[in-house]
Amino acid sequence: MPNFSRRAVLMQLGASGLAALTPGASLAQNRYADLDTQPWSFLDGNEARFLASMADVLIPEDDFPSASQAGVVDFIDLQLAGPYGKGAGLFLEGPFRDGAPEQGWQVDHTPATLIRTGIARLESGDTRLVDLDASEREDFVTRLSEGEDFDLGDVPATTLFDEIWSLVKEGYFSDPIYGGNKDYAGWRMVGFPGAHAYYADLVDKNAPFPAPPRGIAHVPGSSRSASTSRALTGSDADTQQEEG
Amino acid sequence: MATELPKTDVVIVGAGWTGLAAAKELADAGQRCVVIERGDWRHDATNFGAPEEHDELKYARRKEHMIDTPTKTLSFRNNSDQTALPMRRLGSFLPGKGLGGAGIHWNGQLWRPLPSDLQMRSHYAERYGESILDGMNVQDWGVTYDELEPHLDFFDRVCGTAGVAGNLNGETQEGGNPFEGPRSADYPNPPMKASPPLQMFRDTAAQMGYNPFHMPSANVTKAYENAYGAQLHPCTYCGFCERFGCGYFAKADPIICIYDVVKDHENFELRMNSQVLRVEKSADGKTATGVTYIDENGQEVFQPADTVCLNAYALWNVHLMLVSGLGTPYDPETGEGTVGRNYAYQTIAAASVFFDENVWSNPFMGAGALGMTIDDFNGDNFDHTDLGFVGGGYISANQTNGRPINYQPTPPDTPSWGAEWKQAVRESYLHHVGIVCHGSSVAVPENYLDLDPTYKDAYGQPLLRMTFDFPENDRKMSAYVLSKAEEIARNMDNVRAVGTVNRAAEGESYSVVPYQTTHNTGGAVIGTDPATSVVNRYGQMWDHHNVFVFGACLFPQNLGYNPTGPLMGLAYWTLDHMKNDYLQNPRPLMDA
């Protein structure tokens, strides 16, 4: 697929959409090190743009990156393409019946088909989420989260919202080896140091932990994981601002 | 047609805490033991090492160490008027799978029952009058604290438990839990350290006249050789404990504490990836003849045995009895039958404490049993006159799980997503602690386990069906204990906000979706009356004397403590009577 760029796909988000996603030099140490020029594993361009738009309402940019800036769309794409998306860990034997909320997931869908079907039905009209302005997007996500005004057939709106929001949080805060939390965006935001393991000397002290985050595939001597795809311009750690 | 294997002395279903303890004790007693486990072989040294194990997505969210619902789940409803539907995804509780079972991803909060917990009906009846228990199936366990104490003590030495004794041979000790039953010996190891919020909880609780102490911990604090000669190492407070295995050999688990010292025993054989389908019975139905299972090659085989030990997870033990026709299923209409009766859970509430920036909780520094606790509102440690409920729970400031996907504390009234949410998470994460109310759960006639009429598992067997909602008693208990926790929280210094969550709040039904605790109890309870218990006080089935039952399914009602300590005390109690009595002369150990 020549000249394909995920970034370019996501840039088609309209004037009120994403802050610029800065192309960055990659530090290719594994096959997910630079995802930008690889085709999506599961999503199509419209789905990716929808998820980026929605994810950035859920986790918008401030001093720290938005969800999509932190690679959440890449994360969701990989998750939906993999065992999780295909329903690993889900008992999917019928019959399917509408249940009480206390009975949990009762839809005849895997996460992947739920999200694909749900987005297709949400986007079946003339208006795309990416075409809305910021306040309209927020209103849309609010209504989706409350399940109002949406008839999505066998996809309950709140189930769809909960599933996407769950994936967005996972993408923002999981180890960067899964494609999200780029440059430890989520971990730097809260102050989680990652895969450090030894706090026996510190646990009873009332003091901040000094070291920057370190993931499972941490690159020694840097403040990044091998799986991140964007260059980090600053030196380090807690106060690092996004360059975009 | 199942292939019949050579007979063994004992067949053990499940290779978790109780199954491996049974194998070790019975193999040493000369019994040839075959342990059958549905999951994979694994070991702390090869499977749980950092940094790979420190993967919140894989283990805490995708739950790689837990049972997978496509092969094993249950159906659920809140009451008999509803149609039960399958629990399609794990949530409220997380049974394990594989070598070590749920003992791999437990927290290591290692408690003993209160003496009065084990005589709950007679204790409350004597102190308050029998009517305080109206509408409940609350029962005595049929075994006393004094009888269990040597076995509780032994398990402390298997785990290298860390803590401060509150009662040594009847003498109250400074700094421990003054309400606990007498210990015959001190904890094997000194208590864990206390993080800043735990220190604050301790000081505030003490100022309020309560009795704070370090939570008893199977995250060991010193290098320790356990009762079987296995070596444990000190906890690093890495913060990846619950839902994870411990590659540091610091959290006591069934593999490093027991499996390693029995695996080469000539009387021990372990068969992995093998799913037991049913216990077979003799022609007269009075004894079991062995178990039929699907082996690792997908073949159905029959393993004959003189003695059958059921050591699966509490829920699956009950399921196995029901699909095998062991005992008599409970009928909620008539109140008769016992298998599935007295299912109970745990009643969880919590206060959420938000500190100002002067208090660094650093929640990622943690351990499964890193807690500062008061027991003043547990069991019958406080006067229940006119309170309208029985039971209680411990209140504990815990620092166990500060991993950011699952730990995003926000003060009350924060939006659940968006810019304000993001800002609140960022401001709160390093300055927050949770105070849990770990409440008891009474048994009531309406809550029970049976077989689902519609849904089947991957082996074509009906799913277990759970019918459960929080009893009114426990809703009142939970609100009361939570109010005490909230009071402590508000009295702590440097607190800018306090939130609360109560899973058993009035008007809310129990849900299988949010995680609460993996403390499912009852369904095959212990006792002295065959009309109200599945097994006698030795853990032996009333109806089939060569079937012994282990685990939290034995609890007549759930106490306000984590179940592993009590259930392991029961396990060693049962094994003691098997080794020293039953096996020499197999017969019913009590008259029905």
Side-chain angles (χ1 to χ4, degrees):
Chain A
M1 191 175 287
N3 300 322
F4 177 85
S5 166
R6 295 183 178 198
R7 205 165 285 118
V9 171
L10 294 183
M11 287 290 277
Q12 298 166 23
L13 283 178
S16 57
L18 289 180
L21 282 159
T22 312
S26 72
L27 194 65
Q29 298 199 353
N30 67 41
R31 69 172 299 228
Y32 300 120
D34 188 350
L35 292 166
D36 182 48
T37 59
Q38 296 183 31
W40 306 101
S41 297
F42 174 82
L43 300 172
D44 65 28
N46 184 55
E47 291 165 340
R49 286 188 292 271
F50 175 89
L51 288 168
S53 312
M54 181 164 161
D56 286 356
V57 173
L58 295 167
I59 305 183
E61 185 185 17
D62 53 14
D63 294 343
F64 290 87
S66 73
S68 72
Q69 289 168 333
V72 163
V73 180
D74 292 334
F75 171 87
I76 294 176
D77 179 57
L78 287 168
Q79 289 296 307
L80 295 184
Y84 178 79
K86 290 171 180 158
L90 261 185
F91 178 85
L92 289 173
E93 295 300 316
F96 286 86
R97 295 194 179 106
D98 290 341
E102 291 79 7
Q103 293 172 305
W105 187 284
Q106 296 297 339
V107 293
D108 187 7
H109 277 290
T110 64
T113 66
L114 181 95
I115 287 175
R116 172 149 289 164
T117 308
I119 293 175
R121 290 177 186 164
L122 284 169
E123 301 269 270
S124 60
D126 295 336
T127 313
R128 304 274 160 130
L129 182 58
V130 298
D131 298 326
L132 303 178
D133 68 26
S135 73
E136 289 170 331
R137 288 182 189 188
E138 191 159 330
D139 177 61
F140 169 87
V141 174
T142 301
R143 289 188 294 116
L144 189 66
S145 73
E146 293 166 353
E148 289 174 18
D149 313 334
F150 292 101
D151 180 8
L152 304 179
D154 65 347
V155 176
T158 52
T159 305
L160 179 65
F161 174 86
D162 289 347
E163 190 64 14
I164 293 174
W165 181 211
S166 172
L167 283 161
V168 167
K169 281 192 283 194
E170 288 174 348
Y172 202 74
F173 288 117
S174 62
D175 194 285
I177 59 173
Y178 295 103
N181 189 16
K182 288 196 194 307
D183 300 338
Y184 306 122
W187 291 359
R188 283 189 292 110
M189 181 183 97
V190 294
F192 176 68
H196 288 269
Y198 190 86
Y199 304 118
D201 295 339
L202 300 170
V203 64
D204 54 355
K205 307 290 191 296
N206 189 35
F209 181 72
R214 199 167 67 188
I216 290 168
H218 188 74
V219 179
S222 79
S223 58
R224 59 185 302 152
S225 167
S227 60
T228 57
S229 63
R230 300 175 58 243
L232 198 69
T233 54
S235 57
D236 219 357
D238 299 342
T239 56
Q240 176 65 40
Q241 302 291 300
E242 286 305 301
E243 62 275 32
Chain B
M1 192 65 191
T3 307
E4 182 164 339
L5 301 171
K7 193 173 182 180
T8 185
D9 296 329
V10 182
V11 65
I12 294 168
V13 181
W17 268 124
T18 65
L20 291 170
K24 168 66 177 156
E25 295 295 320
L26 297 175
D28 284 348
Q31 297 285 306
R32 178 166 162 69
C33 297
V34 172
V35 181
I36 301 177
E37 164 58 45
R38 82 168 95 243
D40 294 326
W41 188 91
R42 52 187 179 172
H43 198 285
D44 305 46
T46 47
N47 294 74
F48 307 145
E52 288 81 2
E53 184 73 7
H54 293 186
D55 184 338
E56 185 182 13
L57 184 74
K58 185 173 182 180
Y59 297 108
R61 300 287 290 189
R62 302 291 178 257
K63 307 185 175 85
E64 291 279 328
H65 294 321
M66 288 67 158
I67 198 77
D68 48 328
T69 57
T71 54
K72 194 76 183 172
T73 188
L74 45 71
S75 65
F76 163 73
R77 58 183 180 175
N78 281 125
N79 59 65
S80 305
D81 295 334
Q82 287 182 319
T83 301
L85 296 176
M87 182 178 77
R88 297 187 178 278
R89 184 182 260 177
L90 289 176
S92 169
F93 48 87
L94 305 171
K97 68 158 192 270
L99 186 60
I104 295 307
H105 68 265
W106 77 317
N107 261 337
Q109 302 178 358
L110 184 44
W111 292 90
R112 295 180 175 203
L114 296 167
S116 59
D117 282 336
L118 303 182
Q119 297 164 288
M120 188 163 176
R121 177 160 286 273
S122 50
H123 173 87
Y124 274 93
E126 187 181 333
R127 185 169 175 187
Y128 304 100
E130 189 100 27
S131 65
I132 198 171
L133 298 172
D134 282 353
M136 303 176 208
N137 283 347
V138 165
Q139 296 174 196
D140 289 0
W141 293 44
V143 52
T144 66
Y145 178 84
D146 289 343
E147 289 172 320
L148 288 189
E149 203 286 332
H151 309 292
L152 297 165
D153 179 69
F154 181 74
F155 190 58
D156 273 336
R157 267 142 247 295
V158 170
C159 290
T161 318
V164 179
N167 182 337
L168 266 183
N169 296 306
E171 299 285 323
T172 302
Q173 307 290 308
E174 188 74 20
N177 178 7
F179 300 101
E180 70 178 358
R183 291 173 180 273
S184 59
D186 203 348
Y187 282 97
N189 281 306
M192 302 200 84
K193 297 188 175 188
S195 64
L198 273 54
Q199 297 167 24
M200 295 168 69
F201 176 88
R202 179 189 61 206
D203 296 345
T204 304
Q207 282 160 17
M208 294 172 72
Y210 302 138
N211 297 278
F213 57 93
H214 288 267
M215 177 179 282
S217 169
N219 318 136
V220 305
T221 49
K222 283 188 163 179
Y224 181 73
E225 186 182 311
N226 85 351
Y228 293 127
Q231 186 67 46
L232 294 162
H233 296 278
C235 176
T236 66
Y237 300 85
C238 77
F240 289 84
C241 203
E242 65 184 8
R243 307 194 181 189
F244 301 85
C246 181
Y248 303 107
F249 286 52
K251 175 172 71 175
D253 75 39
I255 297 176
I256 58 172
C257 293
I258 305 181
Y259 169 76
D260 280 348
V261 296
V262 71
K263 65 182 194 299
D264 297 326
H265 200 295
E266 60 181 357
N267 289 335
F268 177 81
E269 183 185 343
L270 177 64
R271 297 185 193 148
M272 303 302 299
N273 304 109
S274 298
Q275 170 74 39
V276 175
L277 298 178
R278 61 191 168 270
V279 179
E280 306 290 356
K281 292 188 287 189
S282 60
D284 66 5
K286 290 186 174 166
T287 54
T289 56
V291 301
T292 297
Y293 68 97
I294 306 282
D295 72 10
E296 59 185 343
N297 301 314
Q299 302 299 309
E300 190 169 313
V301 294
F302 173 55
Q303 174 61 63
D306 287 329
T307 306
V308 174
C309 292
L310 302 187
N311 302 77
Y313 186 69
L315 294 166
W316 314 142
N317 266 352
V318 177
H319 183 247
L320 194 50
M321 287 181 191
L322 289 169
V323 296
S324 305
L326 297 183
T328 308
Y330 172 65
D331 180 348
E333 298 289 323
T334 64
E336 289 169 7
T338 53
V339 180
R341 185 176 178 274
N342 281 33
Y343 171 72
Y345 192 45
Q346 201 89 67
T347 316
I348 300 291
S352 192
V353 187
F354 297 86
F355 298 109
D356 64 29
E357 60 194 14
N358 295 310
V359 178
W360 294 89
S361 58
N362 297 326
F364 50 86
M365 302 181 189
L370 180 58
M372 191 66 71
T373 311
I374 65 165
D375 220 17
D376 297 71
F377 299 101
N378 205 351
D380 194 35
N381 296 340
F382 57 110
D383 187 355
H384 285 75
T385 305
D386 297 332
L387 290 180
F389 65 85
V390 298
Y394 67 70
I395 297 173
S396 191
N398 288 348
Q399 198 158 316
T400 63
N401 61 347
R403 300 171 301 270
I405 307 175
N406 280 337
Y407 189 90
Q408 295 155 356
T410 54
D413 304 322
T414 305
S416 51
W417 45 265
E420 281 181 63
W421 171 86
K422 190 183 182 193
Q423 181 72 22
V425 170
R426 176 179 160 190
E427 289 170 356
S428 303
Y429 175 79
L430 295 173
H431 311 284
H432 170 269
V433 76
I435 300 178
V436 69
C437 302
H438 189 271
S440 55
S441 176
V442 297
V444 293
E446 309 81 56
N447 289 337
Y448 67 104
L449 305 171
D450 67 350
L451 292 177
D452 191 277
T454 305
Y455 292 97
K456 294 191 168 14
D457 65 19
Y459 305 96
Q461 296 188 310
L463 297 188
L464 187 71
R465 177 171 68 175
M466 173 190 291
T467 304
F468 180 82
D469 206 345
F470 294 113
E472 194 56 32
N473 178 84
D474 296 345
R475 294 180 184 278
K476 290 180 187 161
M477 179 278 300
S478 194
Y480 180 82
V481 178
L482 178 58
S483 73
K484 302 298 180 185
E486 193 179 351
E487 218 173 290
I488 300 171
R490 294 198 186 281
N491 280 336
M492 290 165 75
D493 292 332
N494 299 89
V495 171
R496 65 183 172 92
V498 175
T500 59
V501 58
N502 183 1
R503 296 295 180 196
E506 290 291 347
E508 285 187 34
S509 293
Y510 167 68
S511 169
V512 289
V513 179
Y515 182 74
Q516 289 156 67
T517 168
T518 309
H519 303 164
N520 314 84
T521 66
V525 314
I526 193 169
T528 53
D529 179 354
T532 57
S533 58
V534 171
V535 301
N536 63 28
R537 78 188 211 101
Y538 304 107
Q540 177 187 44
M541 284 196 81
W542 291 107
D543 293 352
H544 317 282
H545 72 73
N546 66 338
V547 179
F548 288 83
V549 183
F550 296 79
C553 60
L554 299 173
F555 296 6
Q557 54 275 331
N558 201 6
L559 52 186
Y561 298 113
N562 309 58
T564 300
L567 73 86
M568 287 306 289
L570 285 176
Y572 282 111
W573 155 262
T574 290
L575 292 165
D576 188 24
H577 287 275
M578 290 177 74
K579 287 188 301 183
N580 296 313
D581 187 355
Y582 178 79
L583 292 170
Q584 288 86 30
N585 179 17
R587 70 201 187 286
L589 294 172
M590 286 180 76
D591 293 329

